[in-house]
């Protein structure tokens, strides 16, 4: 594992820098702990970028990802590096992304060529199907055989992908025209009520197929609206033969019931989960509101930090309770913040945690200087002396201000 923290440093005032060929660049500020912790924090950000690059590279090389999408991801990551708030080998990662961009562009070109070849083949197949459908529509009198063949053509049509939208639309219009022409000739041939009922049955079969295809959907609102529209279309359609009508209606109704039953179960489970989350958050809030801030403001602040983590982990709550709960939470946080501000202003110089931290930093800088002198490393000695001088100056200013 590479120690990315070696590519950065933290100033005495908490400013975090990353080392580049053009010099150090500011990537953020760290006030929450030691400089080492700050460097580790920004190094983790860089490690996250490396992980994302690793994933893009692996998916690209395995062929699991679309090359164009991978190229977009590489370009996006490359642009982010210039402003990345992270500590690590940014230049090395940039060079790696540049190589990946070339690979992705090459694979994208190959994919485009493959799609173009597939488009040519798909166009030839659909054209042949259209010509066969037009011949059937114009010449065939074997109604059942021809009708079955047109259905087979339609099923095969649905499996063919890759034709551009405009050309596909034109071919579909020819096919639809041919199929409609065949249907009209067949209807004129029979010219009976039975023919009308069969047409009604066909229309309702399409409604049933769509309803059944939607029965397993999890897009609750759009699917519910579409099922209501299908019901309206069903009522407006002519009736099929009695037995067929009853059979299709049972399938249609079963498909609707399956969807709405699943939706009800999911909503009930979600409501129960949200209610449990609400109970947890109310309990957490009650503990925070009950804290004796005046007696122990710092202890209250520490407990608030723990409560904030628990609050975040508790999850979502019912919408109607969210606003009032958030208002109470913000009020509790503000009460503790105000108390801490007041306690801070009352702190003596000896007890001031900021001064204590700065004194500890001075002591650490003195130790680093001593180690450098022991090692006889002139460069480290010079750097340690400069760092110690800077920290002592900041400490002196802070003690005067306090």
């Amino acid at each position: 594992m590479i120690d990315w923290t070696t590519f950065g440093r933290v100033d005495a005032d908490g400013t975090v820098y990353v080392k580049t060929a053009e010099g150090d660049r500011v990537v953020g500020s760290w006030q929450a702990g030691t400089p080492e912790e700050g460097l580790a924090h920004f190094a983790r950000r860089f490690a996250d970028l490396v992980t994302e690059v690793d994933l893009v590279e692996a998916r690209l090389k395995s062929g699991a990802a679309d090359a164009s999408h991978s190229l977009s991801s590489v370009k996006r990551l490359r642009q982010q590096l210039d402003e990345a708030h992270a500590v690590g080998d940014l230049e090395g990662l940039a060079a790696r992304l540049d190589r990946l961009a070339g690979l992705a562009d090459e694979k994208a070109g190959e994919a485009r060529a493959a799609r173009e070849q597939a488009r040519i083949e798909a166009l030839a197949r659909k054209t042949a199907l259209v010509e066969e459908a037009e011949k059937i529509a114009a010449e065939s009198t074997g109604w059942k055989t021809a009708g079955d063949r047109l259905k087979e053509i339609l099923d095969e049509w649905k499996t063919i992908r890759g034709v551009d939208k405009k050309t596909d639309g034109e071919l579909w219009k020819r096919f639809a025209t041919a199929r409609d022409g065949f249907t009209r000739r067949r209807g004129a041939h029979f010219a009976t009520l039975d023919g009308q009922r069969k047409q009604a049955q066909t229309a309702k079969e399409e409604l049933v197929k769509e309803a059944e295809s939607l029965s397993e959907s999890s897009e609750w609102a759009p699917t519910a609206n579409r099922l209501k529209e299908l019901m309206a279309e069903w009522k407006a359609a002519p009736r099929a033969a009695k037995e067929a009508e009853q059979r299709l209606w049972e399938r249609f109704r079963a498909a609707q019931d399956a969807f709405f039953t699943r939706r009800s179960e999911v909503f009930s489970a979600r409501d129960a989960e949200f209610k449990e989350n609400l109970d947890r958050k109310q309990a957490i809030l009650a503990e925070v509101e009950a804290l004796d801030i005046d007696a122990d403001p710092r202890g209250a602040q520490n407990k608030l930090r723990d409560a904030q983590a628990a609050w975040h982990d508790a999850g979502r709550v019912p919408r109607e309770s969210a606003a009032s709960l958030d208002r109470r939470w913000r009020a509790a946080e503000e009460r503790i913040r105000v108390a801490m501000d007041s306690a801070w202003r009352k702190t003596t110089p000896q007890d001031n945690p900021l001064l204590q931290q700065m004194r500890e930093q001075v002591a650490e800088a003195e130790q680093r200087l001593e180690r450098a002198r022991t090692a006889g490393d002139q460069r480290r000695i010079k750097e340690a002396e400069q760092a110690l001088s800077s920290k002592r100056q900041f400490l002196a200013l802070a003690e005067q201000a306090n």
Side-chain angles (χ1 to χ4, degrees), residues 4 11 57 60 79 115 131 224 262 329 343 359 369 375:
W4 300 120
D11 257 355
E57 182 176 20
L60 178 62
Q79 291 174 351
R115 285 196 298 270
E131 291 172 352
R262 286 194 314 105
W329 177 258
R359 293 187 186 108
L369 176 58

Side-chain angles (χ1 to χ4, degrees), residues 97-164:
L97 283 169
D98 290 340
R99 291 192 296 272
L100 277 179
L103 177 61
D105 187 60
E106 179 182 349
K107 287 184 176 293
E110 294 173 355
R112 286 193 295 272
R115 285 196 298 270
E116 177 59 19
Q117 182 60 35
R119 186 194 69 80
I120 293 172
E121 294 174 0
L123 177 59
R125 289 178 61 194
K126 284 200 169 184
T127 300
L129 291 176
V130 168
E131 291 172 352
E132 182 182 356
E134 289 173 339
K135 184 175 181 180
I136 290 173
E139 302 174 2
S140 179
T141 56
W143 307 114
K144 185 178 186 310
T145 302
D148 290 343
R149 179 54 189 154
L150 286 174
K151 290 180 180 178
E152 291 172 359
I153 290 175
L154 177 59
D155 291 339
E156 185 177 352
W157 182 285
K158 293 178 180 178
T159 65
I160 302 173
R161 300 287 186 272
V163 181
D164 63 274

Side-chain angles (χ1 to χ4, degrees), residues 3-8 17-20 27 39 42-43 46-47 50 86-93:
D3 184 4
W4 300 120
T5 62
T6 60
F7 289 85
Y17 298 85
V18 66
K19 300 174 183 177
T20 69
V27 294
L39 283 176
F42 285 89
F46 180 78
V50 173
V87 169
D89 186 7
L90 295 178
E91 294 169 340
L93 189 58

Side-chain angles (χ1 to χ4, degrees), residues 342-373:
S342 176
W344 178 271
R345 288 190 294 270
K346 297 176 182 177
T347 301
T348 64
Q350 293 73 23
D351 296 331
N352 189 305
L354 178 59
L355 292 178
Q356 291 177 358
Q357 182 183 22
M358 295 179 72
R359 293 187 186 108
E360 291 172 357
Q361 292 176 352
V362 169
E364 291 175 359
E366 291 172 342
Q367 293 173 4
R368 283 195 293 272
L369 176 58
E370 184 62 29
R371 288 195 296 269
R373 287 173 174 170

Side-chain angles (χ1 to χ4, degrees), residues 313-334:
D313 293 340
R316 298 176 61 185
V317 301
R319 180 180 299 178
E320 62 274 11
S321 304
S324 61
L325 201 64
D326 286 341
R327 283 195 297 270
R328 287 178 59 194
W329 177 258
R330 288 194 297 270
E333 286 182 321
E334 180 64 13

Side-chain angles (χ1 to χ4, degrees), residues 223-256:
T223 303
N225 292 335
R226 181 55 185 156
L227 286 173
K228 290 176 183 178
E229 293 172 358
L230 291 178
M231 175 64 81
E233 293 177 26
W234 179 283
K235 292 179 179 179
R239 292 183 62 84
K242 184 176 180 180
E243 292 182 1
E245 181 79 14
Q246 182 62 29
R247 173 174 53 82
L248 291 171
W249 169 250
E250 289 173 358
R251 287 175 57 191
F252 185 79
R253 191 63 183 175
Q256 285 190 315

Side-chain angles (χ1 to χ4, degrees), residues 286-306:
E287 292 179 3
V288 173
E289 290 174 334
L291 291 174
D292 189 352
I293 303 173
D294 295 332
D296 184 10
R298 182 167 297 279
Q301 185 183 47
N302 293 335
K303 291 180 180 178
L304 175 62
R305 291 195 185 99
D306 295 337

